[in-house]
Amino acid sequence: LNKIKLKYIVFCENLFISKINTGGIPDNKNRTLILDINFNKKYFERMMHHEIFHMIQNSNKDFFNENYWASLNNSNFIYSECSTCSDRLGLDINEKTNGFLTDYSKSIPSEDMAEIFSFLMINNKNAKNKIQNDKILISKMEYLTSSLKKIDENFSFK
């Protein structure tokens, strides 16, 4: 949190972006993380890590190349134009991953990165098993780890 210079955490209720209920919004300009305290309890802890990742990425854009990230996927896969213009909103772990832990991961590259980061930060064993059995997810995790180590050489997932 020191590396992203987080100043404030704002707790609110009924947070929406483009008419979509959301758990959090990272505001890099004001160094503020906005969190909806009524967001689905099942996802709340992971959502906090997801939004923190967005702050990390937005503070270190040079370390997270979204074009390279997209190239790690199967060649026939195309991300949506934006996360809020996609119907890919599912947050549960996919039964068949094919490079994506959740349906929301399929929206845009930054959401894909944030989803993987969030599962690994909460030490989700099911996600780790899915990653270990998916070559694309292994590549994505390795890329995330190497990028995060550029920010903090001691970084590691639990």
Side-chain angles (χ1 to χ4, degrees), residues 62-93:
D62 292 342
F63 300 147
F64 301 96
N65 183 316
E66 293 188 6
N67 290 326
Y68 176 75
W69 183 269
S71 76
L72 297 173
N73 296 317
N74 289 324
S75 60
N76 60 345
F77 178 80
I78 299 171
Y79 286 107
S80 300
E81 287 185 39
C82 66
S83 61
T84 58
C85 58
S86 169
D87 61 354
R88 300 167 175 168
L89 301 173
L91 299 175
D92 289 323
I93 295 178

Short mmCIF file of all heavy atoms in Angstrom, two decimals, residues 62-93:
data_model
loop_
_atom_site.label_atom_id
_atom_site.label_comp_id
_atom_site.label_asym_id
_atom_site.label_seq_id
_atom_site.Cartn_x
_atom_site.Cartn_y
_atom_site.Cartn_z
N ASP A 62 3.96 0.98 -17.14
CA ASP A 62 5.03 0.43 -17.97
C ASP A 62 5.34 -1.03 -17.66
O ASP A 62 5.94 -1.72 -18.49
CB ASP A 62 6.32 1.25 -17.80
CG ASP A 62 6.19 2.65 -18.36
OD1 ASP A 62 5.25 2.90 -19.17
OD2 ASP A 62 7.01 3.51 -17.99
N PHE A 63 4.95 -1.50 -16.50
CA PHE A 63 5.25 -2.87 -16.10
C PHE A 63 4.15 -3.87 -16.47
O PHE A 63 4.32 -5.07 -16.28
CB PHE A 63 5.51 -2.96 -14.60
CG PHE A 63 6.66 -2.13 -14.13
CD1 PHE A 63 6.63 -1.55 -12.88
CD2 PHE A 63 7.78 -1.92 -14.92
CE1 PHE A 63 7.70 -0.78 -12.43
CE2 PHE A 63 8.84 -1.16 -14.48
CZ PHE A 63 8.80 -0.59 -13.23
N PHE A 64 3.01 -3.37 -16.95
CA PHE A 64 1.88 -4.25 -17.23
C PHE A 64 1.39 -4.00 -18.66
O PHE A 64 0.42 -3.28 -18.89
CB PHE A 64 0.76 -4.01 -16.22
CG PHE A 64 1.17 -4.25 -14.80
CD1 PHE A 64 1.60 -3.21 -14.00
CD2 PHE A 64 1.18 -5.53 -14.29
CE1 PHE A 64 2.00 -3.42 -12.69
CE2 PHE A 64 1.58 -5.77 -12.98
CZ PHE A 64 1.99 -4.72 -12.18
N ASN A 65 2.05 -4.62 -19.62
CA ASN A 65 1.75 -4.43 -21.03
C ASN A 65 0.51 -5.24 -21.41
O ASN A 65 0.56 -6.47 -21.47
CB ASN A 65 2.96 -4.85 -21.86
CG ASN A 65 2.77 -4.62 -23.33
OD1 ASN A 65 1.72 -4.91 -23.89
ND2 ASN A 65 3.80 -4.10 -23.96
N GLU A 66 -0.58 -4.55 -21.66
CA GLU A 66 -1.84 -5.23 -21.95
C GLU A 66 -1.83 -5.94 -23.30
O GLU A 66 -2.50 -6.95 -23.47
CB GLU A 66 -3.01 -4.26 -21.84
CG GLU A 66 -3.21 -3.81 -20.39
CD GLU A 66 -4.47 -3.00 -20.18
OE1 GLU A 66 -5.28 -2.86 -21.12
OE2 GLU A 66 -4.65 -2.52 -19.05
N ASN A 67 -1.09 -5.42 -24.27
CA ASN A 67 -0.99 -6.12 -25.56
C ASN A 67 -0.23 -7.43 -25.39
O ASN A 67 -0.62 -8.45 -25.96
CB ASN A 67 -0.30 -5.23 -26.60
CG ASN A 67 -1.17 -4.07 -27.01
OD1 ASN A 67 -2.39 -4.17 -27.06
ND2 ASN A 67 -0.55 -2.93 -27.28
N TYR A 68 0.84 -7.40 -24.62
CA TYR A 68 1.57 -8.64 -24.36
C TYR A 68 0.66 -9.62 -23.62
O TYR A 68 0.61 -10.80 -23.95
CB TYR A 68 2.85 -8.39 -23.55
CG TYR A 68 3.54 -9.68 -23.19
CD1 TYR A 68 4.26 -10.39 -24.15
CD2 TYR A 68 3.43 -10.21 -21.91
CE1 TYR A 68 4.85 -11.60 -23.85
CE2 TYR A 68 4.02 -11.43 -21.60
CZ TYR A 68 4.73 -12.11 -22.57
OH TYR A 68 5.30 -13.32 -22.26
N TRP A 69 -0.05 -9.11 -22.62
CA TRP A 69 -0.95 -9.95 -21.84
C TRP A 69 -1.97 -10.64 -22.77
O TRP A 69 -2.19 -11.85 -22.67
CB TRP A 69 -1.68 -9.11 -20.79
CG TRP A 69 -2.58 -9.88 -19.90
CD1 TRP A 69 -3.90 -10.14 -20.09
CD2 TRP A 69 -2.23 -10.52 -18.67
NE1 TRP A 69 -4.40 -10.88 -19.05
CE2 TRP A 69 -3.39 -11.12 -18.17
CE3 TRP A 69 -1.04 -10.62 -17.94
CZ2 TRP A 69 -3.41 -11.83 -16.97
CZ3 TRP A 69 -1.06 -11.32 -16.74
CH2 TRP A 69 -2.22 -11.91 -16.27
N ALA A 70 -2.57 -9.87 -23.66
CA ALA A 70 -3.56 -10.43 -24.59
C ALA A 70 -2.94 -11.49 -25.49
O ALA A 70 -3.60 -12.47 -25.85
CB ALA A 70 -4.18 -9.31 -25.42
N SER A 71 -1.67 -11.33 -25.81
CA SER A 71 -0.99 -12.31 -26.68
C SER A 71 -0.79 -13.66 -25.98
O SER A 71 -0.52 -14.66 -26.65
CB SER A 71 0.35 -11.77 -27.16
OG SER A 71 1.32 -11.83 -26.12
N LEU A 72 -0.93 -13.70 -24.69
CA LEU A 72 -0.79 -14.96 -23.95
C LEU A 72 -2.01 -15.87 -24.13
O LEU A 72 -1.94 -17.07 -23.89
CB LEU A 72 -0.57 -14.69 -22.45
CG LEU A 72 0.70 -13.93 -22.09
CD1 LEU A 72 0.71 -13.59 -20.60
CD2 LEU A 72 1.94 -14.71 -22.47
N ASN A 73 -3.13 -15.29 -24.54
CA ASN A 73 -4.38 -16.05 -24.74
C ASN A 73 -4.34 -16.84 -26.04
O ASN A 73 -3.48 -16.61 -26.90
CB ASN A 73 -5.58 -15.10 -24.77
CG ASN A 73 -5.77 -14.40 -23.45
OD1 ASN A 73 -5.68 -15.01 -22.40
ND2 ASN A 73 -6.04 -13.10 -23.52
N ASN A 74 -5.30 -17.75 -26.20
CA ASN A 74 -5.46 -18.44 -27.47
C ASN A 74 -5.68 -17.39 -28.56
O ASN A 74 -6.32 -16.37 -28.33
CB ASN A 74 -6.66 -19.40 -27.43
CG ASN A 74 -6.38 -20.60 -26.55
OD1 ASN A 74 -5.26 -21.10 -26.49
ND2 ASN A 74 -7.40 -21.07 -25.85
N SER A 75 -5.15 -17.63 -29.73
CA SER A 75 -5.17 -16.63 -30.80
C SER A 75 -6.57 -16.24 -31.25
O SER A 75 -6.77 -15.16 -31.79
CB SER A 75 -4.36 -17.13 -32.00
OG SER A 75 -4.92 -18.33 -32.49
N ASN A 76 -7.57 -17.07 -31.01
CA ASN A 76 -8.93 -16.76 -31.45
C ASN A 76 -9.74 -15.98 -30.41
O ASN A 76 -10.88 -15.61 -30.66
CB ASN A 76 -9.69 -18.03 -31.84
CG ASN A 76 -9.81 -19.00 -30.69
OD1 ASN A 76 -9.12 -18.88 -29.67
ND2 ASN A 76 -10.67 -19.99 -30.85
N PHE A 77 -9.14 -15.69 -29.25
CA PHE A 77 -9.86 -14.96 -28.21
C PHE A 77 -9.69 -13.45 -28.37
O PHE A 77 -8.60 -12.97 -28.63
CB PHE A 77 -9.40 -15.36 -26.80
CG PHE A 77 -10.10 -14.58 -25.74
CD1 PHE A 77 -11.37 -14.94 -25.34
CD2 PHE A 77 -9.53 -13.45 -25.19
CE1 PHE A 77 -12.06 -14.19 -24.40
CE2 PHE A 77 -10.21 -12.69 -24.25
CZ PHE A 77 -11.47 -13.06 -23.85
N ILE A 78 -10.79 -12.72 -28.19
CA ILE A 78 -10.75 -11.25 -28.26
C ILE A 78 -11.44 -10.70 -27.02
O ILE A 78 -12.59 -11.07 -26.71
CB ILE A 78 -11.46 -10.73 -29.53
CG1 ILE A 78 -10.76 -11.26 -30.78
CG2 ILE A 78 -11.50 -9.20 -29.53
CD1 ILE A 78 -11.50 -10.98 -32.07
N TYR A 79 -10.76 -9.80 -26.32
CA TYR A 79 -11.36 -9.12 -25.17
C TYR A 79 -12.44 -8.15 -25.65
O TYR A 79 -12.45 -7.74 -26.81
CB TYR A 79 -10.30 -8.31 -24.40
CG TYR A 79 -9.36 -9.14 -23.57
CD1 TYR A 79 -8.04 -9.33 -23.96
CD2 TYR A 79 -9.77 -9.71 -22.37
CE1 TYR A 79 -7.15 -10.08 -23.20
CE2 TYR A 79 -8.90 -10.46 -21.59
CZ TYR A 79 -7.59 -10.64 -22.01
OH TYR A 79 -6.72 -11.37 -21.24
N SER A 80 -13.31 -7.73 -24.74
CA SER A 80 -14.31 -6.69 -25.02
C SER A 80 -13.63 -5.33 -25.12
O SER A 80 -12.47 -5.18 -24.74
CB SER A 80 -15.34 -6.65 -23.89
OG SER A 80 -15.99 -7.88 -23.76
N GLU A 81 -14.36 -4.35 -25.61
CA GLU A 81 -13.81 -3.00 -25.71
C GLU A 81 -13.62 -2.36 -24.33
O GLU A 81 -12.72 -1.55 -24.14
CB GLU A 81 -14.74 -2.12 -26.56
CG GLU A 81 -14.67 -2.45 -28.03
CD GLU A 81 -15.51 -1.49 -28.85
OE1 GLU A 81 -15.52 -0.28 -28.53
OE2 GLU A 81 -16.15 -1.95 -29.80
N CYS A 82 -14.51 -2.69 -23.39
CA CYS A 82 -14.39 -2.14 -22.04
C CYS A 82 -15.07 -3.09 -21.06
O CYS A 82 -15.88 -3.92 -21.45
CB CYS A 82 -15.01 -0.74 -21.97
SG CYS A 82 -16.79 -0.69 -22.19
N SER A 83 -14.73 -2.95 -19.79
CA SER A 83 -15.28 -3.86 -18.79
C SER A 83 -16.77 -3.62 -18.56
O SER A 83 -17.51 -4.55 -18.25
CB SER A 83 -14.52 -3.74 -17.47
OG SER A 83 -14.63 -2.44 -16.95
N THR A 84 -17.22 -2.39 -18.72
CA THR A 84 -18.63 -2.09 -18.48
C THR A 84 -19.50 -2.27 -19.72
O THR A 84 -20.72 -2.16 -19.63
CB THR A 84 -18.81 -0.65 -17.93
OG1 THR A 84 -18.24 0.27 -18.87
CG2 THR A 84 -18.15 -0.50 -16.58
N CYS A 85 -18.89 -2.54 -20.86
CA CYS A 85 -19.69 -2.79 -22.06
C CYS A 85 -19.67 -4.27 -22.42
O CYS A 85 -19.89 -4.65 -23.56
CB CYS A 85 -19.21 -1.93 -23.23
SG CYS A 85 -17.49 -2.17 -23.67
N SER A 86 -19.42 -5.08 -21.41
CA SER A 86 -19.36 -6.52 -21.60
C SER A 86 -20.41 -7.19 -20.72
O SER A 86 -20.75 -6.69 -19.65
CB SER A 86 -17.96 -7.02 -21.20
OG SER A 86 -17.94 -8.43 -21.13
N ASP A 87 -20.90 -8.34 -21.16
CA ASP A 87 -21.81 -9.11 -20.31
C ASP A 87 -21.04 -10.20 -19.57
O ASP A 87 -21.62 -11.06 -18.93
CB ASP A 87 -22.95 -9.70 -21.15
CG ASP A 87 -22.47 -10.67 -22.22
OD1 ASP A 87 -21.24 -10.81 -22.42
OD2 ASP A 87 -23.34 -11.29 -22.87
N ARG A 88 -19.73 -10.12 -19.62
CA ARG A 88 -18.86 -11.08 -18.94
C ARG A 88 -18.64 -10.58 -17.51
O ARG A 88 -17.66 -9.92 -17.21
CB ARG A 88 -17.54 -11.21 -19.68
CG ARG A 88 -17.69 -11.68 -21.11
CD ARG A 88 -16.41 -11.49 -21.89
NE ARG A 88 -16.51 -12.06 -23.23
CZ ARG A 88 -15.65 -11.84 -24.19
NH1 ARG A 88 -14.61 -11.06 -24.00
NH2 ARG A 88 -15.81 -12.39 -25.38
N LEU A 89 -19.56 -10.93 -16.61
CA LEU A 89 -19.54 -10.37 -15.27
C LEU A 89 -19.36 -11.41 -14.17
O LEU A 89 -19.21 -11.04 -13.00
CB LEU A 89 -20.82 -9.56 -15.02
CG LEU A 89 -21.09 -8.40 -15.97
CD1 LEU A 89 -22.47 -7.79 -15.71
CD2 LEU A 89 -20.00 -7.35 -15.84
N GLY A 90 -19.39 -12.70 -14.50
CA GLY A 90 -19.31 -13.75 -13.49
C GLY A 90 -18.01 -13.72 -12.70
O GLY A 90 -16.93 -13.58 -13.27
N LEU A 91 -18.12 -13.86 -11.38
CA LEU A 91 -16.96 -13.80 -10.50
C LEU A 91 -16.55 -15.15 -9.92
O LEU A 91 -15.54 -15.25 -9.24
CB LEU A 91 -17.22 -12.80 -9.35
CG LEU A 91 -17.49 -11.36 -9.77
CD1 LEU A 91 -17.84 -10.51 -8.56
CD2 LEU A 91 -16.30 -10.79 -10.52
N ASP A 92 -17.36 -16.19 -10.17
CA ASP A 92 -17.00 -17.53 -9.70
C ASP A 92 -15.94 -18.13 -10.60
O ASP A 92 -15.85 -17.81 -11.79
CB ASP A 92 -18.23 -18.44 -9.69
CG ASP A 92 -19.22 -18.07 -8.60
OD1 ASP A 92 -18.78 -17.69 -7.49
OD2 ASP A 92 -20.44 -18.16 -8.86
N ILE A 93 -15.14 -19.02 -10.03
CA ILE A 93 -14.10 -19.70 -10.82
C ILE A 93 -14.76 -20.57 -11.89
O ILE A 93 -15.67 -21.34 -11.60
CB ILE A 93 -13.18 -20.56 -9.93
CG1 ILE A 93 -12.40 -19.66 -8.97
CG2 ILE A 93 -12.22 -21.39 -10.76
CD1 ILE A 93 -11.50 -20.42 -8.01
#
